[in-house]
């Protein structure tokens, strides 16, 4: 079973460039992800506010998703992705300013801008399949997702070195990793402009759509397309809600920053490291079955994490499994979404899917802080597990309908 990209030279180059950019941008995303909640807690003085870090990051990603999709539909993927990375770099700079002056509004505004990098990261996976052969959609998509592993795993482990760099330049220790984020996002944007040629969308088969925005996407949200969007959004909500409060949960139980960084790194490795295998599984076994596998893994993860108590080993294991469940669900969901759409309709519906995904994550992160403050980390995991139920029901219903038609 080959994991090589398809033989088309242009597609090979596109996947290679997107993979390189994902590695570099992943460093920035991973570094920011590890310290965002801790920065908000430090500046606000309250654990109750810590969930707002992921809320602002995901709201920022949601806010930039449709504008970047519209830019892609109008002028191509290259300018859209580059702008996303560069806005993320400016967000990292604003976060550092907020930490330095101890201003929560400035800090939250910076995290909102930082979220543009997530929008670019997510849309890169769809750029990888604009020219992909139908039988290799899952593989092409997953190769770009997998490449995020390298940078994203390194990023959280820059928490310690980042503190040293911060001391040297006179910033608060927790703001140090944002220096790496700003540099990584800037380089990712510049490389996208310089190297992503040919533009995958401009040269993709099928006309570029004239209609843009949410209204243009809604008529296509039905059947398997709707199932794919729900699977992606609900799985992201489960992952974000649990992950968002894990650093705070661990720190409250005495875990060091290095241990917290390692836990987030392994969680991110779970999200991305197995993605090529999941992509092949989706292509060969079927996206619906792979989504069901992902939902089952998410249920296991929330049980392990929710019953971890003060065990650093168990919470790390739970977060790693959580990442794997997210990966199976989101990659298979994105592959299903792409295969159900005509090329001309893909950018706007993919953008709507990412918008739904990020809004679901924002709501999950917002409610996570409230649930933990009122009832604890275990209750949060139990509540997150409930979100798998409608996804499982809809996928099984779709399989029954397909079987009856056949």
């Amino acid at each position: 079973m080959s994991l090589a990209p398809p033989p088309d030279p242009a597609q090979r180059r596109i996947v290679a460039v997107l993979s390189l950019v994902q590695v570099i941008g992943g460093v920035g995303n991973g570094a920011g992800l590890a310290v965002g909640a801790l920065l908000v807690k430090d500046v606000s003085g309250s654990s109750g506010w810590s969930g707002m870090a992921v809320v602002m990051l995901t709201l920022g990603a949601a806010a930039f998703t449709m504008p970047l999709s519209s830019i892609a539909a109008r002028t191509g993927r290259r300018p859209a992705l580059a702008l996303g990375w560069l806005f993320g770099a400016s967000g990292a700079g604003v976060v550092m300013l907020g930490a330095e002056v101890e201003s929560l509004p400035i800090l939250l505004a910076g995290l909102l801008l930082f979220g543009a990098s997530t929008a670019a990261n997510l849309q890169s996976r769809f750029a990888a399949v604009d020219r992909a052969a139908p039988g290799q959609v899952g593989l092409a998509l997953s190769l770009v997702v997998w490449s995020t592993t390298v940078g994203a795993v390194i990023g959280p482990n820059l928490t310690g070195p980042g503190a040293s760099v911060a001391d040297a330049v006179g910033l608060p220790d927790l703001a140090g990793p944002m220096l790496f984020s700003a540099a990584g996002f800037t380089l990712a944007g510049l490389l996208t402009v310089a190297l992503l040629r040919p533009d995958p969308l401009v040269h993709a088969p099928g006309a570029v759509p004239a209609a843009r925005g949410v209204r243009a996407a809604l008529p296509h949200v039905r059947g398997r397309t709707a199932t794919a969007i729900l699977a992606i959004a609900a799985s992201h909500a489960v992952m974000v809600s649990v992950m968002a409060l894990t650093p705070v949960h661990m720190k409250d139980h005495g875990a060091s920053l290095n241990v917290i960084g390692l836990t987030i790194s392994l969680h991110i490795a779970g999200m991305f490291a197995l993605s090529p295998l999941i992509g092949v599984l989706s292509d060969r076994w079927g996206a619906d079955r792979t989504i069901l596998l992902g939902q089952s893994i998410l249920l296991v993860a929330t049980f392990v994490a929710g019953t971890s108590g003060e065990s650093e080993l168990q919470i790390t294991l739970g977060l790693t499994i959580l990442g794997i469940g997210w990966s199976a669900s989101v990659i298979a969901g994105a592959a299903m979404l792409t295969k159900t759409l005509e090329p001309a309709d893909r950018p706007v519906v993919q953008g709507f899917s990412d918008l739904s995904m990020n809004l679901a994550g924002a709501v999950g992160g917002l409610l996570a802080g409230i649930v933990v403050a009122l009832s604890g980390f275990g209750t949060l995991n139990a509540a997150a597990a409930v979100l798998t139920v409608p996804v499982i029901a809809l996928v099984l219903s779709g399989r029954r309908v397909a079987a009856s038609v056949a």
Side-chain angles (χ1 to χ4, degrees):
M1 182 182 298
S2 174
L3 296 183
D8 173 36
Q11 172 68 0
R12 263 205 315 270
R13 176 180 172 85
I14 288 166
V15 171
V17 170
L18 289 170
S19 298
L20 172 64
V21 170
Q22 291 291 85
V23 169
I24 296 168
V27 172
N29 275 318
L33 190 64
V35 298
L38 299 176
L39 271 171
V40 172
K41 180 183 178 183
D42 189 55
V43 171
S44 69
S46 169
S47 296
W49 276 95
S50 55
M52 286 300 296
V54 171
V55 171
M56 298 308 289
L57 288 171
T58 50
L59 281 178
F64 279 93
T65 291
M66 293 309 296
L68 292 182
S69 295
S70 295
I71 291 170
R74 187 168 59 250
T75 61
R77 296 283 190 190
R78 185 169 64 251
L81 295 177
L83 282 172
W85 290 119
L86 294 176
F87 272 114
S90 68
V94 175
V95 168
M96 287 186 281
L97 174 63
E100 174 65 19
V101 301
E102 297 185 352
S103 169
L104 183 60
I106 293 176
L107 181 61
L108 294 178
L111 291 170
L112 192 73
L113 274 173
F114 192 103
S117 65
T118 301
N121 176 287
L122 291 173
Q123 292 191 21
S124 293
R125 74 199 197 282
F126 288 128
V129 299
D130 284 332
R131 295 177 60 105
Q136 294 183 314
V137 167
L139 176 58
L141 187 151
S142 65
L143 285 172
V144 171
V145 172
W146 175 84
S147 66
T148 309
T149 307
V150 179
V153 170
I154 292 172
N157 287 295
L158 295 176
T159 303
S164 300
V165 174
D167 285 339
V169 299
L171 286 172
D173 287 355
L174 289 174
M178 288 292 172
L179 287 168
F180 297 114
S181 296
F185 295 159
T186 300
L187 183 56
L190 294 176
L191 288 175
T192 298
V193 172
L195 301 180
L196 191 58
R197 301 173 187 277
D199 189 293
L201 186 57
V202 169
H203 295 270
V208 174
R212 297 183 290 273
V214 173
R215 287 187 179 181
L218 290 177
H220 303 283
V221 183
R222 60 181 184 272
R224 285 170 61 81
T225 300
T227 298
I229 292 173
L230 175 64
I232 293 168
S235 301
H236 195 59
V238 173
M239 187 276 290
V240 170
S241 61
V242 174
M243 179 274 297
L245 271 294
T246 295
V248 175
H249 170 74
M250 294 183 70
K251 191 173 183 182
D252 287 345
H253 286 93
S256 68
L257 286 178
N258 287 334
V259 172
I260 293 171
L262 176 62
T263 298
I264 299 300
S265 289
L266 291 174
H267 166 67
I268 295 172
M271 292 172 66
F272 301 123
L274 299 180
S275 54
L277 295 179
I278 291 171
V280 171
L281 187 66
S282 178
D283 285 335
R284 303 288 178 87
W285 196 39
D288 50 355
R289 291 178 178 176
T290 309
I291 290 172
L292 291 174
L293 174 64
Q295 299 303 295
S296 301
I297 296 172
L298 288 176
L299 285 171
V300 173
T302 52
F303 175 78
V304 174
T307 59
S308 62
E310 298 185 12
S311 171
E312 294 177 358
L313 177 60
Q314 187 172 334
I315 188 63
T316 300
L317 177 62
L319 263 289
T320 304
I321 298 172
L322 183 74
I324 296 171
W326 177 92
S327 182
S329 301
V330 170
I331 288 174
M336 178 187 286
L337 178 68
T338 299
K339 290 177 181 178
T340 62
L341 298 168
E342 295 297 323
D345 300 320
R346 286 176 184 170
V348 66
V349 183
Q350 289 165 344
F352 177 77
S353 175
D354 282 349
L355 175 65
S356 302
M357 175 183 183
N358 286 306
L359 288 176
V363 172
L366 178 62
L367 295 179
I370 298 172
V371 171
V372 169
L374 293 176
S375 191
F377 192 66
T379 302
L380 170 64
N381 280 268
V386 173
L387 296 178
T388 65
V389 175
V391 177
I392 293 172
L394 193 57
V395 173
L396 289 176
S397 174
R399 285 176 60 81
R400 284 195 296 268
V401 169
S404 66
V405 171

